[in-house]
Amino acid sequence: GLTLKYQFPVGASQLHLDRARLEEENLLHAGQILSEFHKQTLINQGQIQKYGNKLAVSKPEEPNYYRTTHALSSRFDARQIQPTITLEQRDALKAKLDEMERRRAPMPPIASAEDRDKNRAILRRMQTKVAFLKNPRYTADRTIPNQPCPFRITPPEVVFRGFEAGGVYELHVRFLNIAKTGR
């Protein structure tokens, strides 16, 4: 058997995962709990449906209008009509169709109705125009009548005399902010 750190032999395991015996002993099977939790997670993510397609379950394998009635079978006997395919051919065709259905690519997962509603709400919010309030310093009408200039400018006037066209002239002008807001 298996030995531990100090060479103590370990016997055979007493753990039995037989479902019938677990139910007899009123024990829980961890795999069953996890599979139920995993299924609930897939339902919440919208990858599988909570309630299966009830119409597909209630739908018979062969529709009623394909079943032969007594009148139809008596007509076949009177006219001596034989079926075009045998039962073996019918079973082979059914197996082929089932195989084609099995090989078909799976449908993409569909989001749950709750998730779709959330996504639509997010899209509506994204498509609405955002209108922020304009900063009062940048309003369209900057000139307010009877309000003094917020700057003290020295010298109050700049005059160039005796200049030539295309010449470069320099003069120092000083702006001092006298308003309470920074500019």
Side-chain angles (χ1 to χ4, degrees), residues 4 20 27 35 40 47-48 52 55 64 78 93 113 118 129-130 145 149 156 162 167:
L4 297 175
L27 298 175
S35 67
Q40 187 61 38
Q47 294 183 8
I48 61 172
L55 183 61
N64 287 334
L93 183 61
K118 286 180 186 176
K129 188 175 181 180
V130 179
C149 180

Side-chain angles (χ1 to χ4, degrees), residues 141-151 179-181 183:
D141 186 19
R142 290 185 184 191
T143 58
I144 301 172
N146 300 328
Q147 183 177 1
C149 180
F151 295 105
K180 293 180 181 177
T181 58
R183 299 177 197 251

Side-chain angles (χ1 to χ4, degrees), residues 18-169:
D18 182 26
R19 289 188 189 266
R21 187 162 178 195
L22 288 175
E23 288 177 9
E24 284 176 14
E25 300 290 332
N26 292 327
L27 298 175
L28 295 175
H29 189 276
Q32 182 180 1
I33 295 171
L34 288 177
S35 67
E36 291 171 3
F37 177 75
H38 181 64
K39 181 180 178 184
Q40 187 61 38
T41 304
L42 291 176
I43 289 171
N44 292 343
Q45 291 175 350
Q47 294 183 8
I48 61 172
Q49 295 178 354
K50 185 173 185 177
Y51 305 107
N53 187 352
K54 300 278 187 186
L55 183 61
V57 172
S58 66
K59 183 174 66 173
E61 180 118 358
E62 187 176 25
N64 287 334
Y65 53 85
Y66 282 155
R67 293 185 182 164
T68 57
T69 60
H70 178 68
L72 188 59
S73 61
S74 62
R75 280 191 210 125
F76 282 166
D77 291 340
R79 295 182 183 167
Q80 298 177 351
I81 297 174
Q82 298 296 323
T84 55
I85 62 172
T86 63
L87 290 175
E88 294 83 19
Q89 291 173 331
R90 176 182 268 192
D91 291 339
L93 183 61
K94 182 172 176 22
K96 181 180 177 183
L97 291 175
D98 289 342
E99 178 65 21
M100 288 173 55
E101 180 70 25
R102 188 185 65 78
R103 287 187 178 186
R104 188 170 65 174
M107 296 296 289
I110 298 172
S112 65
E114 185 177 301
D115 290 340
R116 286 192 303 249
D117 290 341
K118 286 180 186 176
N119 289 341
R120 285 188 190 115
I122 290 170
L123 284 175
R124 273 196 301 275
R125 283 195 312 256
M126 289 172 61
Q127 291 174 348
T128 56
K129 188 175 181 180
V130 179
F132 293 107
L133 294 176
K134 297 255 184 192
N135 191 326
R137 291 186 289 178
Y138 300 106
T139 56
D141 186 19
R142 290 185 184 191
T143 58
I144 301 172
N146 300 328
Q147 183 177 1
C149 180
F151 295 105
R152 184 181 308 143
I153 304 169
T154 54
E157 286 185 3
V158 177
V159 179
F160 291 100
R161 294 193 180 133
F163 61 90
E164 293 181 10
V168 177
Y169 302 93

